[in-house]
Each structure stands twice: as structure tokens, then as C-alpha cells.
Amino acid sequence: DTGVSQNPRHKITKRGQNVTFRCDPISEHNRLYWYRQTLGQGPEFLTYFQNEAQLEKSRLLSDRFSAERPKGSFSTLEIQRTEQGDSAMYLCASSLASGSTEAFFGQGTRLTVV
Amino acid sequence: AQRVTQPEKLLSVFKGAPVELKCNYSYSGSPELFWYVQYSRQRLQLLLRHISRESIKGFTADLNKGETSFHLKKPFAQEEDSAMYYCALSTLSTGNQFYFGTGTSLTVIP
């Protein structure tokens, strides 16, 4: 599968623990996005990178959330001191910066905080 | 602020019947509009975008700037069309991030 890859697919954690998710975009894509999706809602934008630069962060992204894309390839999303309200599907997407703005999505990481 | 509204959470139609999934948006500039689809247990994928003006799997969508709408239509629904459909808006001014509606779950009854 040469599409966007996310790991792990599922994560169950206890409240207060830290979790980290990984996203591997399509190799030639220089834009990478993180979205969060809760039940009954569409994906909500969290942050995006162009190459290694984090260009925008949503107000949804509290200071417990941090994302990195150190070499402009894969990205990690870390949530510190998880809360039950963090339970959601975390989606990663990638696209080319110019031309087509189509975003290709990964299958997501489902986080459950107990 | 940008907003995408999909008024129907659930929509059921019989096989062979026409289907229309509604989408309205608010944005003061020139948006790009998309329809994404998510079939059961699969990832979100692009169905069509307004700039392409193409028909995909029999679906079409026309951007109506006067009504700020981008409704998705298909004249004859098929069972395999049953899925979750999301309307999305993208703007160059915000780095092409996507604003999604809450989605419409389409069920085609055989």
C-alpha cells in the first residue's frame, strides 16, 4: 500500500498517560495534515506542515498536543496527560503543495482514553 | 469564517431512485469544494471536486455560488453507493486545509 500510513491503528490508554501517533505520508507529498474526528462529526483540522515547517495550528490543539515533522517526511502527534475527551479518531492526510489540492487520508488511529 | 453545512445526517433511498446530498458553505472568497466518501471500514477518499466538473461513479455536483451550495446528485442510486459522504471546503488563503461538514450517511435500500 503506497498510500498514507498511520500507526498504531488503535490505542487504548489510561487517563493521564502520554501517547504518540505516527503518520507516513505519500512520499512526494510535502504537505501533511492532522485531523481529529469524533462520533457524528466530520474531521476537524488540528495542524498542518509544509515540509518540516508547522504552518498552522487550530485552536483545538491545546498545549497538551504537539506535532512534529522533523525531516519533512513522517510526522508524529503526541498527546500529553490524556483526558477522556481526547478519545477520537486521529486522521493524517497528505497532499502536494501546488497544483491539485486533493488530500489523501490515512486510515486513522483510534484513541480510547479510559 | 469558513463553514460547511450538511443538513441531513441520515438519508435512505431505494435502489434506482435519484439521490441528492445537500451541502451549503459559507466563505467570502473563492473556495474549492470537494465531496469525500468513506465506505464501510475504508479510509476517507476523494469522490469529486468542483473544478474538475466530472462525473464519478455517476455522481455530479455543481457549485452554485449564488446559493453557496454544492449538492451531490446521482440519478439512479446503487446499493454500493451506501457510505458516509462528507462535503469539504478548501481555501488557498488558509493553506488548503479542509473544512468538513458533519457528513451524511447514505443507505441505498435494495
Side-chain angles (χ1 to χ4, degrees):
Chain A
D1 186 358
T2 55
V4 178
S5 176
Q6 290 187 246
N7 287 289
R9 293 287 305 278
H10 304 274
K11 179 71 178 178
I12 300 174
T13 191
K14 290 184 177 179
R15 190 175 52 184
Q17 297 294 305
N18 298 345
V19 294
T20 300
F21 311 139
R22 176 180 170 124
C23 171
D24 288 90
I26 293 172
S27 58
E28 62 268 28
H29 286 182
N30 44 16
R31 282 217 173 134
L32 186 148
Y33 306 81
W34 283 100
Y35 284 82
R36 180 172 67 187
Q37 186 174 21
T38 53
L39 201 60
Q41 300 297 316
E44 296 173 297
F45 170 77
L46 292 178
T47 188
Y48 94 95
F49 293 83
Q50 181 154 322
N51 301 312
E52 65 276 9
Q54 188 173 17
L55 296 186
E56 189 170 346
K57 292 195 291 187
S58 163
R59 281 171 288 181
L60 290 175
L61 212 64
S62 78
D63 56 8
R64 296 184 298 105
F65 288 68
S66 62
E68 294 183 343
R69 195 182 183 197
K71 297 181 181 179
S73 56
F74 74 91
S75 175
T76 57
L77 178 68
E78 181 183 17
I79 309 174
Q80 296 182 323
R81 305 181 302 282
T82 51
E83 302 172 358
Q84 286 188 317
D86 298 331
S87 295
M89 177 73 85
Y90 289 84
L91 297 169
C92 176
S94 69
S95 72
L96 291 168
S98 59
S100 168
T101 55
E102 176 182 355
F104 294 80
F105 282 81
Q107 292 192 297
T109 295
R110 182 169 295 284
L111 173 65
T112 303
V113 182
V114 297
Chain B
Q2 301 87 344
R3 179 186 287 269
V4 176
T5 303
Q6 292 180 253
E8 304 139 329
K9 276 204 171 294
L10 303 169
L11 183 63
S12 295
V13 300
F14 285 100
K15 178 182 173 181
V19 60
E20 180 179 51
L21 289 83
K22 292 185 167 53
C23 172
N24 288 88
Y25 68 91
S26 63
Y27 179 60
S28 55
S30 294
E32 287 193 59
L33 274 297
F34 303 79
W35 277 98
Y36 276 80
V37 61
Q38 189 167 27
Y39 300 103
S40 179
R41 297 175 182 252
Q42 293 188 27
R43 66 185 69 196
L44 204 57
Q45 57 186 282
L46 179 68
L47 179 61
L48 54 79
R49 70 191 95 176
H50 88 269
I51 59 172
S52 299
R53 293 184 158 270
E54 55 191 348
S55 173
I56 304 293
K57 300 184 179 183
F59 284 97
T60 59
D62 290 318
L63 179 61
N64 185 323
K65 290 187 177 181
E67 296 183 357
T68 59
S69 68
F70 188 57
H71 303 327
L72 183 68
K73 300 177 184 179
K74 184 169 182 177
F76 308 104
Q78 303 298 314
E79 289 178 65
E80 55 266 29
D81 297 329
S82 295
M84 195 74 183
Y85 291 81
Y86 294 96
C87 182
L89 176 155
S90 174
T91 71
L92 281 172
S93 66
T94 54
N96 296 119
Q97 62 160 291
F98 291 81
Y99 296 87
F100 285 86
T102 51
T104 298
S105 176
L106 174 65
T107 300
V108 180
I109 304 164

